[in-house]
Amino acid sequence: MRKIIHIDMDAFYASVEQRDNKELRGKPVAVGYSEARGVVAAASYEARKYGVRSAMPSLTAKNKCPSLIFVSPRFDVYHDVSRQIRAIFYEYTDMVEPLSLDEAFLDVTENRKNNPSATLIAREIKRKIYETTELRASAGVSVNKFLAKIASDYKKPDGLFVILPEEAEQFVEGLKIEQFFGVGKVTARKMYENGIYTGLDLKRHSEQELVRLFGKAGKSFYLNARGIDDREVQAERIIKSISNETTFLKDKDNITLLLVELYHLAKEVMERVEKENFYGRTVTIKVKYADFRIITRSRTLPSRITDFNMFWNTARGIMRQVDLSVQPVRLLGLGVSNAADKPEQKWTQLELDLF
C-alpha cells in the first residue's frame, strides 16, 4: 500500500508578493495585469472572499472587488522559491512529481527518514517550508494520488488532511462532482444532465455507461468513484514542449509590431529551452484572431534548435506567412517541440537583422 502526499502552496504567487511587501498583507491582491485584456494569475485569500479567482479577466475581478490591488508577476522569484520548496521534498524522497511551481506529489512509502508515518512527514514538510520561505502550504495524505490531491484541498489554507484506506470509498461518495479530477464546467454540465451530482451518483453508473458518456475519461471516473487510482508518482516528468503566449491590449494587424512581440516571446522561450536543456526541431506559432478563430503554423527543421538566432529566424519566417489581411491578431503564441536528447554544437554566427 502506497503512502502518497500532495503538497499545494496556498495562493502561491500572491503569498510571495504579500511576504515581500508588508503593505500588501491582509489586503486583496491579484497577481497579473489590470489592463482591459489582463487576466488574474493568482489571487490572495482576501481577494477570493470577493469571488476573485485565477484565470478570471482582470476587469471582472475589479468589478467584484473594487479595492483589488494588482501586482505584476515576478516569475523569476516564484521559480527561486519553488526550488527552495522542492529541495525540502528531496530531503525525504526522490519520488517527487512536480505538477507546477506550487504543487507536487511525493511517494514516501520508503523515505530517507525511515519514518513510517506519511502524516508526520507531511507535517514536517509544512513546517520546514514555512521556516525556509515564510509561506504556508496545505498537505493531503492518502494511499493514491487522486485521494491525496482531494485531501490537500479539503482544509485549505494551511491544512493537513488524511484519508485513510478504510474511509476512502465513503469519503468519495460524499464529494461534489466538481471535486473530481478532470471535471470542468463542460463535463460537470454533462454530468448534471445525466443525474450525476456527487461521487455516490457517479458510483451508481457502470464503467461501460461512463465510457459511452465521457470517452476514455469515463474509465478514470469509474475507478475514482471507488477511491481507486493506480497511477504511480512519476519522479521525472518528460517535457514535450516549451511555449509562451501573449494577449494584446489592442488587436494588432501590423506585421512589424507583431514581429516585435514575437521577438520578445522568442527570447522568453529560448531562456526556458536552455534552462531545461530542451532542444527540439519543431517551431510552432499560434495566432488567435479578433473573431477568436485560432490557427497554428509549424516548421520542423532538419537539425536541432540550439541557439536564439536559429530559433528566431525560423519563427520570423513562419510569422511572415500568416495571413493578416482579414482579421487583426488578438493573441500570439510561440513554442518549440519535438525534442532531441542532446544539443548539437551551438551556432556562433551573429544575426544582426531584427526583421
Side-chain angles (χ1 to χ4, degrees):
M1 187 173 293
R2 295 190 187 117
K3 298 175 182 178
I4 308 298
I5 300 172
H6 180 256
I7 299 289
D8 194 4
M9 300 303 297
D10 297 329
F12 182 51
Y13 296 173
S15 295
V16 171
E17 298 302 334
Q18 289 178 316
R19 179 198 68 177
D20 294 347
N21 185 347
K22 294 181 180 180
E23 294 182 0
L24 298 177
R25 295 177 187 177
K27 297 179 181 178
V29 173
V31 176
Y33 302 100
S34 60
E35 292 87 354
R37 289 186 178 172
V39 174
V40 175
S44 69
Y45 281 96
E46 294 86 354
R48 294 182 188 188
K49 293 177 182 178
Y50 293 87
V52 178
R53 295 288 184 270
S54 61
M56 176 179 286
S58 297
L59 290 181
T60 303
K62 286 194 288 187
N63 287 334
K64 287 180 175 290
C65 180
S67 60
L68 188 63
I69 303 170
F70 274 89
V71 179
S72 297
R74 298 181 297 154
F75 291 110
D76 55 338
V77 176
Y78 309 148
H79 276 278
D80 288 343
V81 176
S82 181
R83 281 191 284 269
Q84 288 180 290
I85 295 167
R86 204 166 295 177
I88 294 171
F89 297 159
Y90 286 117
E91 291 179 20
Y92 293 85
T93 177
D94 285 329
M95 297 298 291
V96 178
E97 181 180 348
L99 302 179
S100 61
L101 291 180
D102 61 341
E103 64 174 319
F105 285 112
L106 290 74
D107 188 332
V108 295
T109 311
E110 296 179 3
N111 59 83
R112 290 196 171 100
K113 305 292 185 178
N114 293 318
N115 190 335
S117 172
T119 304
L120 292 179
I121 291 175
R123 185 171 289 119
E124 280 186 21
I125 289 174
K126 278 169 50 65
R127 176 179 55 79
K128 285 189 176 184
I129 288 174
Y130 183 74
E131 290 174 351
T132 303
T133 68
E134 299 180 49
L135 300 172
R136 301 290 185 183
S138 291
V141 180
S142 196
V143 293
N144 61 47
K145 292 164 75 171
F146 169 67
L147 293 172
K149 184 163 174 55
I150 288 175
S152 69
D153 286 334
Y154 203 66
K155 287 192 175 180
K156 271 184 166 287
D158 196 23
L160 172 58
F161 191 73
V162 181
I163 302 176
L164 298 174
E166 60 271 22
E167 300 170 346
E169 197 161 346
Q170 185 177 359
F171 183 85
V172 172
E173 288 178 358
L175 293 175
K176 294 179 180 179
I177 200 61
E178 295 89 347
Q179 294 175 271
F180 280 72
F181 177 77
V183 179
K185 290 182 179 180
V186 175
T187 304
R189 194 177 305 119
K190 193 169 183 179
M191 292 270 191
Y192 299 157
E193 292 170 357
N194 288 274
I196 303 173
Y197 297 91
T198 67
L200 182 59
D201 296 331
L202 189 64
K203 189 177 177 182
R204 289 174 176 145
H205 287 68
S206 68
E207 181 178 349
Q208 185 178 3
E209 287 177 305
L210 293 175
V211 170
R212 177 178 58 82
L213 289 170
F214 305 104
K216 293 181 180 179
K219 183 174 182 180
S220 295
F221 293 151
Y222 175 83
L223 294 172
N224 291 167
R226 290 155 178 78
I228 300 171
D229 181 3
D230 294 328
R231 295 175 301 156
E232 295 182 355
V233 170
Q234 300 294 324
E236 294 184 2
R237 292 170 62 83
I238 299 174
I239 300 174
K240 296 183 179 180
S241 65
I242 290 178
S243 63
N244 200 359
E245 62 184 37
T246 183
T247 299
F248 306 131
L249 293 177
K250 293 183 179 180
D251 301 333
K252 296 182 185 294
D253 57 4
N254 182 288
I255 184 61
T256 301
L257 294 179
L258 286 167
L259 285 171
V260 170
E261 297 290 350
L262 186 68
Y263 183 83
H264 292 308
L265 286 174
K267 280 287 190 182
E268 293 169 1
V269 171
M270 197 64 203
E271 285 180 7
R272 289 184 55 200
V273 164
E274 293 174 344
K275 182 180 292 185
E276 300 290 347
N277 196 33
F278 179 93
Y279 296 89
R281 295 190 300 121
T282 300
V283 178
T284 301
I285 282 180
K286 172 185 174 182
V287 171
K288 180 187 287 186
Y289 289 108
D291 61 0
F292 290 88
R293 180 168 54 95
I294 297 175
I295 65 165
T296 59
R297 297 289 183 267
S298 299
R299 182 177 298 168
T300 298
L301 304 181
S303 60
R304 292 161 286 192
I305 299 166
T306 55
D307 76 345
F308 177 73
N309 291 320
M310 189 179 190
F311 184 39
W312 165 238
N313 289 334
T314 304
R316 180 179 58 178
I318 298 171
M319 188 68 211
R320 288 190 176 279
Q321 297 177 5
V322 174
D323 184 9
L324 303 175
S325 62
V326 179
Q327 288 279 343
V329 174
R330 176 186 180 88
L331 174 148
L332 184 63
L334 176 64
V336 60
S337 58
N338 191 13
D341 292 334
K342 296 181 180 179
E344 296 172 347
Q345 185 174 351
K346 294 188 176 184
W347 295 6
T348 56
Q349 182 177 350
L350 179 63
E351 181 80 35
L352 297 176
D353 176 28
L354 180 61
F355 300 121

